[in-house]
């Protein structure tokens, strides 16, 4: 078992020592390593060692600064080639990661918190692609979990979720040419 360094501090050392002594007096045998850990943790106000460990790990996670992932600029550059100067999708990407990111760009252009008819979502998709297959895009977005639709396919809505980190950089890049 690997050793885990967990900081251990008590607010009142005297109360801690008293509690530990009382627990040790109740025992009829010499405590094992695990029993001793539990005795120490209970004296410090925790239920047992596992409770102390979970609390310590949670404190360390909360104290650690949040590390935000950086976008893959090489992927952004490659995917940007699938868009024209006006920010419209030129072709169906053959690579799955490229396709997924292209669909995210279209997702970003669908109005949020609004239910769209099939005709309205087709209009949005037709505005942002040039190869003339809105049905393919609509289906791919549904299968990718980016939009939801009614069972009959008449109503669509964008599914709100956290986009990939590359989306912001890609949107900046493809809309820069459109400006």
């Amino acid at each position: 078992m690997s050793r885990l360094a967990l900081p251990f501090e008590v607010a009142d050392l005297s109360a801690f020592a008293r509690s530990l002594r009382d627990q040790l007096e109740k025992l009829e045998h010499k405590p094992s390593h695990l029993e001793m850990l539990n005795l120490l943790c209970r004296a410090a106000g925790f239920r047992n060692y596992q409770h102390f460990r979970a609390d310590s790990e949670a404190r360390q996670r909360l104290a650690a600064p949040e590390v935000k992932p950086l976008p893959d600029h090489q992927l952004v550059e490659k995917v940007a080639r699938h868009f024209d100067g006006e920010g419209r999708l030129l072709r169906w990407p053959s690579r799955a990661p490229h396709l997924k990111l292209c669909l995210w760009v279209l997702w970003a252009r669908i109005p949020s918190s609004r239910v769209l008819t099939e005709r309205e979502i087709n209009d949005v998709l037709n505005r942002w692609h040039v190869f003339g297959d809105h049905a393919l895009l609509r289906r791919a977005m549904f299968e990718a979990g980016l939009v939801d639709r009614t069972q009959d396919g008449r109503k669509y809505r964008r599914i709100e979720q956290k986009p990939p980190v590359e989306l912001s950089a890609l949107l900046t890049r493809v809309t820069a040419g459109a400006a």
Side-chain angles (χ1 to χ4, degrees):
M1 186 162 101
S2 63
R3 292 178 188 242
L4 182 63
L6 299 172
F8 186 83
E9 55 179 82
V10 292
D12 184 355
L13 189 57
S14 179
F16 174 78
R18 197 175 312 112
S19 174
L20 187 57
R21 183 197 64 213
D22 292 345
Q23 290 182 66
L24 286 169
E25 285 177 354
K26 292 178 185 176
L27 292 177
E28 298 175 5
H29 61 282
K30 186 177 175 183
S32 69
H33 173 74
L34 182 58
E35 285 178 304
M36 194 65 194
L37 285 174
N38 285 329
L39 291 172
L40 288 167
C41 293
R42 276 196 295 272
F46 297 95
R47 289 188 302 270
N48 54 29
Y49 174 69
Q50 290 301 320
H51 179 219
F52 165 71
R53 182 176 172 169
D55 182 74
S56 295
E57 289 172 350
R59 286 175 192 263
Q60 288 174 359
R61 279 192 306 273
L62 290 172
E66 185 179 334
V67 178
K68 292 186 178 183
L70 296 174
D72 180 351
H73 291 289
Q74 192 173 23
L75 176 64
V76 170
E77 186 178 325
K78 288 177 182 178
V79 173
R81 295 178 193 151
H82 293 284
F83 291 88
D84 67 8
E86 296 177 25
R88 296 177 301 186
L89 186 60
L90 293 170
R91 61 191 159 274
W92 185 254
S94 60
R95 294 180 179 237
H98 296 189
L99 173 61
K100 183 79 170 172
L101 201 49
C102 288
L103 292 175
W104 273 103
V105 170
L106 295 172
W107 172 88
R109 292 172 171 165
I110 296 173
S112 63
S113 304
R114 189 166 160 240
V115 175
L116 303 172
T117 64
E118 186 176 0
R119 177 175 291 214
E120 290 171 328
I121 197 159
N122 289 344
D123 290 343
V124 170
L125 294 175
N126 282 330
R127 196 173 320 133
W128 294 109
H129 86 286
V130 296
F131 56 88
D133 198 348
H134 57 265
L136 175 70
L137 292 170
R138 204 179 54 231
R139 210 172 309 118
M141 291 184 75
F142 175 74
E143 289 170 0
L146 299 176
V147 296
D148 193 17
R149 67 180 177 204
T150 56
Q151 213 167 11
D152 61 6
R154 291 183 183 192
K155 306 255 185 225
Y156 289 80
R157 70 174 178 79
R158 179 172 112 168
I159 297 175
E160 298 304 320
Q161 54 192 301
K162 185 176 180 179
V165 294
E166 290 82 12
L167 180 62
S168 179
L170 182 59
L171 283 171
T172 302
R173 178 131 184 190
V174 299
T175 57

